[in-house]
Amino acid sequence: MNAAEPILAPLLNISNVSVAYANHTVVKDVSIDIKQGEIGCLLGPSGCGKSTLLRAIAGFEPLSQGSISLLGKSLSNKDFTTAPEQRNIGMVFQDIALFPHLNVAQNIAFGIQHLTKTEQRARVKQLLDLIELSHYATLYPHQISGGQQQRIALARALAPKPKLLLLDEPFSGLDAKLRETLVPQVKAILKAEHVSALIVSHDQGEAFAIADKIAIMENGKIHQWDSAFNSYHIPATKFVASFIGDSRFLPGIVSCEHCIDTQLGRLKNPFPHGFKEGSTVDVLVRLENIITQADSAHFGKVVKKNFHGSYYKYELSLADNSTILYSTNAKDTAEHQLGENIPLKFCSESLVIFAR
């Protein structure tokens, strides 16, 4: 029998943290841990407190409650804030802000002036090779693309070998195609450097592609700190269920410990759902849960439709005026028309249910 693996202490510990401006609390009682080499993401709508929490970790905002520590060393509490430059934390801002008068190599070397010239050159070369821009060392920021500038900004932040790297919506200024390419590249670079990171994003696809764990935020609070898979398939709250993925909620009435009666018929759960018989609930319905079935007694009327290239997405109204989403392959399936009634079936191995 193998000995149990040691449980590693978290690199970053955020415990019951609140941040307030005047009498308005922006971040409310937040607690998360980030392990060595782990990439976390703060995900949520605009104004939910993501960037404020990131700034507090960086040392730019004081805490009104709680504490922040790095490798067991206290960085902030309500009475004390370590200066940003003394935290051994790197940061990549939304505004890349490369120095225009310095070339690529000089930008990367900016934060490692305490090293010898030989050590600086070696570290810059190592990072340029890592970000695959070794032939760009003598170029200036205006001579390279936005995606290349973003990688240079990342290399500059990594140069001093920080214990933790914070990234505040670093891809928001880039087009969708470039983000799709750059996000996995950045993840690979962080993993290669064995650097823990925390990134702020409002883009689910971006968060899913880069993060090991995601903190889903609303109104300053974290609803769930979990893997992307669990956040999607096992949402902790109704907000998480509605924010992640394309979904709607289907009203239902509990008929037994395994069954919910809805406008799409009786839905069955493989295990007891924990709601009392007769109680009203909402069943999460993802886009992929709805299929057509010719002999179904349950219909949805097309009230909206959108073309997404490879597929059509429809909003369907049910008999009780609740709505669900449905999609079809744009190439192989005939386009449905507004007002058309479609026979439907709900498909899922288990139900995600919330009290109404």
Side-chain angles (χ1 to χ4, degrees):
M1 181 176 176
N2 294 329
E5 293 185 7
I7 298 175
L8 298 177
L11 175 87
L12 176 71
N13 176 258
I14 301 170
S15 179
N16 306 116
V17 161
S18 294
V19 180
Y21 299 130
N23 294 322
H24 178 55
T25 302
V26 180
V27 175
K28 305 170 185 176
D29 198 26
V30 165
S31 296
I32 59 173
D33 286 341
I34 294 181
K35 299 182 179 67
Q36 183 67 50
E38 191 171 54
I39 301 174
C41 179
L42 303 176
L43 177 66
S46 297
C48 72
K50 307 183 299 292
S51 292
T52 299
L53 177 57
L54 202 76
R55 289 176 57 82
I57 297 167
F60 298 124
E61 303 291 347
L63 306 186
S64 57
Q65 174 186 298
S67 64
I68 298 172
S69 61
L70 188 70
L71 287 173
K73 178 184 177 181
S74 179
L75 297 180
S76 294
N77 57 49
K78 65 183 182 67
D79 301 315
F80 171 77
T81 302
T82 303
E85 65 273 14
Q86 297 175 355
R87 294 187 171 221
N88 200 8
I89 292 175
M91 192 154 186
V92 178
F93 295 96
Q94 188 172 345
D95 179 5
I96 299 170
L98 294 177
F99 301 111
H101 63 290
L102 301 180
N103 65 29
V104 164
Q106 291 166 336
N107 262 283
I108 295 174
F110 182 81
I112 52 174
Q113 299 299 310
H114 59 286
L115 300 180
T116 67
K117 292 297 182 182
T118 300
E119 290 171 330
Q120 288 181 42
R121 285 193 294 269
R123 181 61 172 155
V124 169
K125 181 181 184 305
Q126 179 189 25
L127 288 167
L128 282 171
D129 289 343
L130 180 63
I131 65 175
E132 299 180 350
L133 292 176
S134 56
H135 298 299
Y136 292 73
T138 59
L139 297 183
Y140 287 82
H142 72 275
Q143 297 175 306
I144 60 179
S145 70
Q148 291 165 341
Q149 289 181 28
Q150 192 61 266
R151 280 186 280 167
I152 297 301
L154 178 62
R156 183 177 64 183
L158 289 172
K161 298 185 178 181
K163 296 296 184 184
L164 176 69
L165 187 64
L166 306 177
L167 303 97
D168 190 3
E169 300 205 37
F171 311 110
S172 61
L174 305 176
D175 63 74
K177 194 67 177 178
L178 182 54
R179 284 202 306 271
E180 189 177 321
T181 302
L182 190 58
V183 169
Q185 289 178 340
V186 169
K187 180 175 183 177
I189 291 166
L190 292 173
K191 293 296 185 181
E193 280 282 294
H194 306 292
V195 171
S196 299
L198 185 62
I199 182 170
V200 162
S201 180
H202 62 267
D203 185 288
Q204 295 174 34
E206 183 177 292
F208 281 24
I210 200 168
D212 300 307
K213 293 182 75 173
I214 299 172
I216 300 172
M217 294 187 68
E218 181 202 28
N219 294 330
K221 295 183 178 180
I222 289 180
H223 284 249
Q224 188 164 354
W225 171 239
D226 213 333
S227 67
F229 183 93
N230 287 346
S231 299
Y232 188 89
H233 293 284
I234 317 171
T237 67
K238 197 171 182 180
F239 172 77
V240 174
S242 63
F243 186 75
I244 297 293
D246 281 330
S247 61
R248 291 287 191 275
F249 293 102
L250 184 64
I253 298 175
V254 176
S255 55
C256 70
E257 65 177 359
H258 292 275
C259 303
I260 311 290
D261 289 334
T262 74
Q263 290 296 321
L264 293 179
R266 176 163 289 182
L267 309 182
K268 296 184 178 181
N269 218 36
F271 47 86
H273 48 60
F275 290 92
K276 291 182 179 180
E277 185 174 338
S279 58
T280 56
V281 296
D282 283 323
V283 180
L284 176 65
V285 182
R286 298 284 192 200
L287 190 66
E288 64 270 20
N289 293 146
I290 302 299
I291 64 171
T292 56
Q293 182 169 289
D295 62 352
S296 175
H298 310 289
F299 291 82
K301 183 171 71 173
V302 179
V303 292
K304 290 181 183 178
K305 67 176 182 178
N306 288 293
F307 178 61
H308 290 265
S310 62
Y311 67 99
Y312 285 99
K313 183 166 74 174
Y314 303 92
E315 185 173 315
L316 307 179
S317 177
L318 304 179
D320 64 351
N321 293 321
S322 61
T323 61
I324 57 174
L325 300 176
Y326 165 67
S327 68
T328 61
N329 186 297
K331 184 177 179 181
D332 301 328
T333 308
E335 178 184 354
H336 295 293
Q337 303 304 316
L338 291 174
E340 181 180 347
N341 286 305
I342 303 172
L344 304 174
K345 181 181 179 181
F346 178 91
C347 293
S348 180
E349 293 182 359
S350 62
L351 305 179
V352 177
I353 307 166
F354 298 96
R356 296 198 74 187

